[in-house]
Amino acid sequence: MSEHKTFKDKFDDTCNFKSISIQGLMLISFTVVSAVIVFVLEIIFYKFFSIQSAQTIIQSTKQVTSQTTTNLEDYLQQMRQLSDTLYYNSIKEIDISNATCETEMNMLYEANKDKLISFALFSEDGKLIAASPNADLKDDVDVKTQQWFLDAVSEVENLHFSLPHVQNLFDDSSIRYNWVISLSRSVSLNDHGKMCEGVLLVDMNYSYIEQILNSVNTDNTNFYTYLIDGSGAVIYHPKQMLINSGDYKENNMKAALYKDGLHNEEFEGENRNVVVDTVGYTGWKLVAVSSANPSIYENRVRYIVILLVAVTFLILMFINRFISRFVSRPLYVLAESISGLSQGSKKGLEILPGATSEVKHLGEVIHFYEQSNERLVHDIVKEQDEKRKSELDALQAQINPHFLYNTLDSIVWMIEEGGKQKDAVFMITELASLFRLSLSKGKTIITIADEIKHGKNYMNIQAVRFKNHFIYDFDIPEEIEKYCTVKLIVQPILENAIYYGVKNMDEDGEIHVKGWKENDDIYITVSDNGFGIPEDYLKTILSDTEHKKAHGSGVGLINVHKRIQLRFGEQYGISIASELDEGTCVTIHIPAVPYTEENQKALEEGTYFEKE
Amino acid sequence: MKKNKPFIITVLILSIVIMSTIFALSSPTVENIYEISVIVPNSSNNMWNRFESGVREAMDNENVIVNIVNTTDMETLADQKNLIDKEIRNGTDGLIVEFISSNDTEKVVDDIVSRTNLLLLNTKCAMYDIDLKKVDTVTLDDELIATTLTSQLFDQVGRDLRFKRVGILANNVDQYNMKKRLNTVEDILDHAGAKIDWIVSGSSSEMEEQLKFVDIPNYMIGLNSVSLDSGIDFAKKYNIPLYGIGGSDQNVNALDEGIIQSMLVPDVFMMGYNSVQLMVQRIKFPHERKEKIIDFYTINKENMFSKQNESILFPIGD
């Protein structure tokens, strides 16, 4: 049954975030940081370029618009001046009943015929008074119904400019129909000495205005211009015919409401910049429209920016990969060799030659600790070996054939002697107890009570064998009997006390075993009144490992001392005080470790003092 | 490999982005400029001025080059075929054609569509058994315009034309559209009881020559600009009310003078504009046959200078 994984676990497994390497971390972080910087810089550059580009177009548009407006104003002013000239210098000076202004009209027309179509002067009832170049009015034309006439008579103070229209006034044998913009004004006429009203018409050539604006639209591809009157009606538009047929839409009505200057509008789904400039006197507005959307050129720049970002990012990735690999590879190699070492490889620590100083230092430190560890392991192994050897020696001592032979021999003698069966039984019992305690079911750590009993068994046996040549006693308080000790430490000292202390004494020897607890330590002394140990021998007795054992178990004090130290530490062991002919006192010093199953096990395994 | 997977994927993605961008940059900023040829009868006649205005407008919008082939010497279908072949040899991307004759043009049409793109003016494509996808048309609804024309006559003189005689100028009866108009007018007048006194056809000079020998009718009808042009002097001389379909400068002047009582004026500007537009669409995106019907306007002396009609009769920029 598969383990159910959360989404986070699956994501982590996929991205392997939990075990990302140094190289990966460096690569990602370097690349992300550099990519972000490059991206931000490119965006800033593109935005700056876009803004500059748009500003340039708008500035250009404004300049052209302004210039075009000036050109239109100049033209319109000329036409106004023509109208003024004709009115004030000619019409006003004559009595129309007996004079005509056609001569002046013709002259003015000839001088300006590229800019205008005709002059005409009408009475207030629509009768043609004078005209140039053509004075043949159509029969069925009623000028009073034409808008220019109506405007002039309705507001007599002003000059009126009409919307473009086809002139429908004169009979033209050339079959020409001209688009005009009518400039009309109310005029005062002198007819037979009486003042009456009339209308002076100057039909301006619409083509002239069309040419001005066509050239602007042809010369500039970034924007187009169109001309509207104050109400938004189109005077000129490059797509006039399409607008008329409904195939093209323009935002002219809204543009009429714009003040002069730059505006932004949304029209037919397109974002546009609109520059508006008012043509003086007429109220007309020149509107220049440019797209606010990115041009093809801007789009190309955008592609170039994307290309630069992608290429830079790609190059940075490779560079970062190389650098991160260069930096992390020595670490990786070091980690691999450490891993190998931990699995027992004999290859040794590997440090790449090109590694950084920090990695080299790390490698050297690890090497130092590796070697220290090896030494430590070697020491521990050696210590364990010594322990085992010492304990084995001690154990072997207990089954020394001489001791056993002699004891059994004594037992046989007792039995054969007769009458000493009880002594024999006693001896056998003590011997059995001795060997049982020696083995202690394989344990190395036993209670002090068992160790003392073991000593007692030994002494009981030896006392019989040596025919009570010495006296002995055990003064062990009950309170210390339940503490831990290494086995086979009292008996060897007792053995030494017998064989080197009291055995060859003339008088009865005395061996006293005493124990006490002092703070956290336990002391057990074995003292005798024997021959003592010479001073020079005393100095080396605990360090001379080559010393041969003469009798008995032959384990010796060195073995006991070492075993105590191996088990409990260097601060413990035995100490010997001796004076020739006075006696010897061997003191066992061990820590007071209460005998529990847990402590016993910890001492056996050597872990007791680690947890402390 | 697993550790390199994100790196490899990122490199691949970046490579794709770089290749795509390079491809986008290497694409031409300016689209291909297509060349289109227009072959129509009497191309120098001013009746095509407005058509040309529409063509010019479309040229600017669609960024194409349109060549209006001079057809002054084009008198027969064979002449027209030669001009067509020449334009195709010159590498034209599309042909806009009004056939000088609709007779025996099936093979010509088949030949053209096999070599280039074709758009027909003033022709119903249904008459040709050709692949639906191959040809567009821009045309008037000849039946409708003819019906409207006769209704103008009825509006002024009443529907009872018994004992009235009508003369018809039909220019090129070999053309499909002319045939259609003529048939429609004949049917309607026949139902109204009128007598078709005469029908003159042919070139302008031929029609003028024929008019010298015809009786004076009560009314005259010209079925296109050339027809009207040819009948103006005759109508003026004998004070015959003239009705027709047209829009040339002479037509307009005659309308203004009251010689033509009522004139139906097709929006020839949009005919030019739409034909180029459709042709460009066909070149870029071959599509099913499209037919564009052009509007027409009923104009007379009283309304010819209205805002809408003056822009039809006198296109700005002409």
Side-chain angles (χ1 to χ4, degrees):
Chain A
M1 189 176 168
S2 59
E3 188 186 319
H4 174 68
K5 288 189 176 181
T6 64
F7 174 74
K8 184 179 179 304
D9 292 335
K10 289 179 188 172
F11 181 76
D12 286 343
D13 287 348
T14 305
C15 300
N16 214 12
F17 284 161
K18 285 181 181 173
S19 59
I20 191 166
S21 62
I22 292 178
Q23 180 187 352
L25 191 62
M26 286 175 69
L27 177 62
I28 291 169
S29 55
F30 289 169
T31 306
V32 166
V33 168
S34 50
V36 166
I37 292 171
V38 167
F39 186 72
V40 167
L41 285 174
E42 297 283 3
I43 293 293
I44 291 170
F45 161 73
Y46 175 70
K47 283 290 178 193
F48 177 74
F49 168 78
S50 292
I51 292 168
Q52 281 297 109
S53 178
Q55 290 294 334
T56 303
I57 292 172
I58 290 169
Q59 276 305 112
S60 165
T61 305
K62 281 183 176 175
Q63 283 175 359
V64 171
T65 308
S66 176
Q67 184 59 49
T68 307
T69 303
T70 302
N71 292 344
L72 286 171
E73 286 173 345
D74 288 343
Y75 172 69
L76 294 172
Q77 191 179 13
Q78 284 178 33
M79 295 297 107
R80 293 205 322 268
Q81 284 172 348
L82 283 175
S83 180
D84 286 342
T85 300
L86 192 56
Y87 179 44
Y88 292 110
N89 294 350
S90 179
I91 296 170
K92 259 198 150 173
E93 300 296 320
I94 61 170
D95 186 329
I96 60 171
S97 63
N98 57 26
T100 178
C101 57
E102 274 189 12
T103 309
E104 289 79 12
M105 271 191 186
N106 288 335
M107 281 172 58
L108 283 173
Y109 172 78
E110 287 300 320
N112 297 280
K113 63 181 177 182
D114 59 329
K115 294 175 188 170
L116 53 85
I117 297 299
S118 64
F119 288 110
L121 178 64
F122 294 90
S123 65
E124 63 181 332
D125 58 0
K127 184 180 163 191
L128 181 66
I129 298 169
S132 178
N134 183 1
D136 292 330
L137 199 67
K138 287 182 179 176
D139 294 335
D140 52 353
V141 164
D142 183 6
V143 300
K144 293 204 302 289
T145 61
Q146 295 192 9
Q147 191 62 45
W148 55 267
F149 191 92
L150 293 170
D151 289 340
V153 299
S154 65
E155 285 182 47
V156 300
E157 305 86 16
N158 298 336
L159 293 174
H160 300 276
F161 291 87
S162 73
L163 291 173
H165 63 97
V166 175
Q167 192 186 55
N168 178 28
L169 288 174
F170 303 107
D171 261 327
D172 189 345
S173 58
S174 65
I175 320 180
R176 283 188 61 194
Y177 293 89
N178 299 300
W179 282 88
V180 299
I181 292 177
S182 298
L183 166 58
S184 61
R185 68 193 296 171
S186 177
V187 293
S188 297
L189 300 173
N190 182 359
D191 186 7
H192 290 95
K194 289 181 187 170
M195 299 308 292
C196 58
E197 298 300 312
V199 175
L200 174 61
L201 173 67
V202 178
D203 270 343
M204 303 186 294
N205 189 354
Y206 175 77
S207 297
Y208 191 83
I209 294 176
E210 194 181 28
Q211 277 175 21
I212 293 173
L213 294 169
N214 273 346
S215 68
V216 171
N217 287 326
T218 304
D219 293 344
N220 294 282
T221 55
N222 293 324
F223 62 91
Y224 68 91
T225 57
Y226 65 94
L227 189 63
I228 55 176
D229 73 356
S231 65
V234 174
I235 298 171
Y236 165 87
H237 197 289
K239 297 194 187 306
Q240 183 71 63
M241 293 299 294
L242 293 178
I243 291 175
N244 292 343
S245 67
D247 272 23
Y248 188 87
K249 288 188 173 58
E250 185 54 79
N251 203 20
N252 48 297
M253 300 311 288
K254 202 169 177 188
L257 303 173
Y258 291 157
K259 291 185 179 158
D260 284 5
L262 174 66
H263 302 268
N264 184 266
E265 67 178 18
E266 185 82 23
F267 183 69
E268 298 283 300
E270 191 187 358
N271 193 14
R272 320 196 300 181
N273 289 322
V274 175
V275 175
V276 178
D277 204 358
T278 301
V279 178
Y281 196 80
T282 58
W284 291 352
K285 287 180 190 285
L286 184 66
V287 182
V289 179
S290 61
S291 175
N293 291 332
S295 64
I296 291 174
Y297 181 66
E298 275 187 54
N299 278 335
R300 289 185 73 79
V301 171
R302 184 184 290 177
Y303 284 132
I304 290 170
V305 167
I306 293 170
L307 184 64
L308 281 174
V309 169
V311 168
T312 307
F313 192 34
L314 193 63
I315 292 171
L316 281 172
M317 274 190 67
F318 279 102
I319 291 173
N320 291 341
R321 185 178 165 88
F322 174 77
I323 292 172
S324 60
R325 202 174 168 80
F326 179 76
V327 170
S328 67
R329 177 132 180 86
L331 277 169
Y332 175 75
V333 168
L334 187 63
E336 283 286 298
S337 67
I338 290 171
S339 177
L341 282 174
S342 67
Q343 287 166 8
S345 167
K346 304 288 182 198
K347 205 174 168 189
L349 210 61
E350 187 179 349
I351 300 173
L352 284 184
T356 58
S357 58
E358 291 88 349
V359 172
K360 281 183 187 166
H361 177 66
L362 183 65
E364 284 160 8
V365 169
I366 291 172
H367 181 66
F368 170 77
Y369 279 107
E370 182 226 350
Q371 287 190 330
S372 299
N373 191 51
E374 268 187 24
R375 282 195 295 274
L376 193 63
V377 167
H378 176 73
D379 289 346
I380 290 172
V381 168
K382 189 177 168 188
E383 185 181 306
Q384 293 295 327
D385 284 344
E386 281 184 10
K387 262 190 208 171
R388 280 199 307 276
K389 186 172 177 304
S390 304
E391 284 156 10
L392 196 60
D393 286 346
L395 201 57
Q396 280 179 332
Q398 294 308 306
I399 53 173
N400 188 302
H402 290 291
F403 173 74
L404 181 61
Y405 175 74
N406 293 332
T407 304
L408 288 174
D409 194 50
S410 299
I411 293 168
V412 168
W413 177 79
M414 286 176 186
I415 295 171
E416 287 178 349
E417 184 73 10
K420 291 193 186 259
Q421 289 85 354
K422 281 188 182 174
D423 292 336
V425 168
F426 176 74
M427 285 285 278
I428 290 167
T429 306
E430 291 297 299
L431 189 63
S433 175
L434 178 78
F435 283 128
R436 187 173 61 251
L437 288 167
S438 294
L439 293 171
S440 294
K441 298 180 184 177
K443 293 179 188 175
T444 304
I445 302 296
I446 58 175
T447 59
I448 290 176
D450 285 344
E451 180 65 16
I452 295 299
K453 189 173 178 191
H454 183 264
K456 285 180 181 175
N457 291 148
Y458 179 77
M459 292 302 286
N460 291 340
I461 293 170
Q462 296 292 63
V464 171
R465 284 188 59 226
F466 286 93
K467 295 181 177 56
N468 300 313
H469 184 63
F470 51 83
I471 60 171
Y472 61 93
D473 64 69
F474 287 84
D475 179 15
I476 305 296
E478 203 176 314
E479 66 160 339
I480 70 169
E481 285 182 348
K482 293 188 173 57
Y483 284 85
C484 294
T485 180
V486 182
K487 70 177 178 187
L488 305 178
I489 56 173
V490 172
Q491 178 273 326
I493 299 170
L494 289 170
E495 185 180 337
N496 279 355
I498 294 173
Y499 282 99
Y500 297 106
V502 303
K503 177 183 163 188
N504 295 320
M505 281 177 70
D506 294 329
E507 62 271 15
D508 288 345
E510 293 177 14
I511 298 174
H512 305 283
V513 179
K514 188 176 176 183
W516 71 95
K517 183 174 179 288
E518 194 175 302
N519 297 323
D520 292 328
D521 297 326
I522 288 176
Y523 297 89
I524 301 173
T525 58
V526 177
S527 56
D528 63 65
N529 62 345
F531 291 107
I533 302 170
E535 194 177 333
D536 54 347
Y537 182 61
L538 187 62
K539 289 176 186 172
T540 62
I541 194 170
L542 293 180
S543 58
D544 186 0
T545 57
E546 298 301 319
H547 177 69
K548 300 283 185 206
K549 287 65 167 187
H551 296 280
S553 66
V555 171
L557 299 176
I558 298 169
N559 179 279
V560 171
H561 182 64
K562 269 193 185 170
R563 285 194 295 117
I564 292 171
Q565 286 189 321
L566 284 170
R567 204 50 78 170
F568 295 116
E570 300 248 331
Q571 67 271 39
Y572 300 103
I574 60 174
S575 57
I576 306 168
S578 183
E579 204 172 315
L580 283 173
D581 297 327
E582 289 294 328
T584 302
C585 178
V586 177
T587 304
I588 297 170
H589 175 205
I590 60 175
V593 178
Y595 189 88
T596 63
E597 195 177 322
E598 187 187 340
N599 289 343
Q600 185 271 332
K601 193 175 174 187
L603 284 168
E604 292 270 2
E605 291 170 355
T607 59
Y608 181 84
F609 293 101
E610 285 175 9
K611 69 182 178 185
E612 282 189 351
Chain B
M1 184 65 187
K2 193 176 175 186
K3 286 184 180 178
N4 286 331
K5 201 170 164 185
F7 178 79
I8 292 169
I9 290 172
T10 309
V11 169
L12 275 174
I13 292 171
L14 285 172
S15 303
I16 292 169
V17 168
I18 290 168
M19 303 277 278
S20 307
T21 313
I22 291 172
F23 178 75
L25 281 169
S26 60
S27 301
T29 53
V30 180
E31 294 178 339
N32 289 335
I33 296 180
Y34 300 113
E35 291 188 17
I36 300 169
S37 302
V38 178
I39 303 177
V40 295
N42 305 308
S43 62
S44 54
N45 192 305
N46 64 52
M47 71 176 182
W48 291 109
N49 288 354
R50 291 159 192 83
F51 179 86
E52 196 176 327
S53 296
V55 165
R56 278 203 302 271
E57 188 71 43
M59 272 172 62
D60 291 339
N61 286 352
E62 303 289 342
N63 198 31
V64 295
I65 296 172
V66 180
N67 173 32
I68 299 180
V69 177
N70 189 333
T71 58
T72 309
D73 298 326
M74 186 179 84
E75 292 182 4
T76 65
L77 185 60
D79 293 337
Q80 192 166 26
K81 180 70 167 61
N82 288 337
L83 289 173
I84 289 170
D85 287 339
K86 184 182 170 190
E87 291 303 306
I88 293 175
R89 280 198 303 274
N90 287 342
T92 188
D93 294 302
L95 280 167
I96 297 173
V97 175
E98 179 182 308
F99 281 114
I100 195 167
S101 167
S102 299
N103 298 328
D104 302 322
T105 49
E106 288 87 354
K107 282 187 184 173
V108 176
V109 168
D110 273 342
D111 178 51
I112 295 170
V113 299
S114 68
R115 295 194 281 164
T116 190
N117 296 295
L118 177 65
L119 183 142
L120 297 174
L121 289 177
N122 293 320
T123 303
K124 283 284 187 183
C125 206
M127 62 183 287
Y128 297 110
D129 182 22
I130 49 177
D131 191 337
L132 277 174
K133 293 180 184 175
K134 299 280 181 137
V135 179
D136 298 321
T137 57
V138 177
T139 185
L140 287 161
D141 186 337
D142 296 301
E143 192 173 332
L144 177 63
I145 201 171
T147 305
T148 308
L149 179 59
T150 51
S151 71
Q152 290 299 300
L153 176 63
F154 295 147
D155 284 348
Q156 293 198 1
V157 304
R159 284 193 165 267
D160 187 2
L161 293 182
R162 283 177 297 173
F163 313 115
K164 301 294 182 185
R165 291 176 292 114
V166 180
I168 299 176
L169 299 102
N171 187 214
N172 186 357
V173 291
D174 288 333
Q175 285 185 320
Y176 170 84
N177 59 334
M178 193 59 65
K179 272 190 234 178
K180 192 71 183 174
R181 293 177 195 179
L182 180 60
N183 291 339
T184 305
V185 167
E186 280 180 315
D187 282 346
I188 295 172
L189 289 177
D190 187 53
H191 273 107
K195 179 177 182 294
I196 308 296
D197 212 16
W198 44 261
I199 299 172
V200 297
S201 63
S203 68
S204 183
S205 56
E206 285 171 356
M207 284 191 287
E208 284 172 4
E209 187 62 30
Q210 290 172 55
L211 285 173
K212 292 177 182 175
F213 305 102
V214 300
D215 293 331
I216 298 170
N218 297 110
Y219 309 104
M220 281 168 62
I221 291 176
L223 294 180
N224 66 355
S225 291
V226 174
S227 303
L228 278 177
D229 284 343
S230 304
I232 286 171
D233 289 340
F234 186 83
K236 185 177 178 180
K237 184 178 177 183
Y238 297 105
N239 203 26
I240 303 166
L242 177 59
Y243 299 83
I245 301 167
S248 69
D249 292 346
Q250 292 87 339
N251 295 167
V252 171
N253 189 58
L255 184 70
D256 193 14
E257 288 183 357
I259 301 169
I260 298 176
Q261 307 304 307
S262 183
M263 184 165 69
L264 303 186
V265 181
D267 192 347
V268 184
F269 175 90
M270 289 310 294
M271 181 179 277
Y273 183 83
N274 287 143
S275 60
V276 172
Q277 210 179 36
L278 267 179
M279 176 54 77
V280 171
Q281 282 178 21
R282 171 161 291 284
I283 292 170
K284 287 182 181 177
F285 310 108
H287 51 249
E288 291 278 324
R289 178 192 302 171
K290 288 186 183 176
E291 188 168 81
K292 178 72 178 174
I293 304 296
I294 299 298
D295 291 334
F296 60 88
Y297 300 88
T298 305
I299 301 178
N300 53 44
K301 186 178 167 62
E302 286 72 35
N303 67 13
M304 66 183 288
F305 292 103
S306 69
K307 190 169 166 53
Q308 175 184 293
N309 289 342
E310 69 179 1
S311 65
I312 297 296
L313 292 175
F314 316 104
I316 287 178
D318 261 6

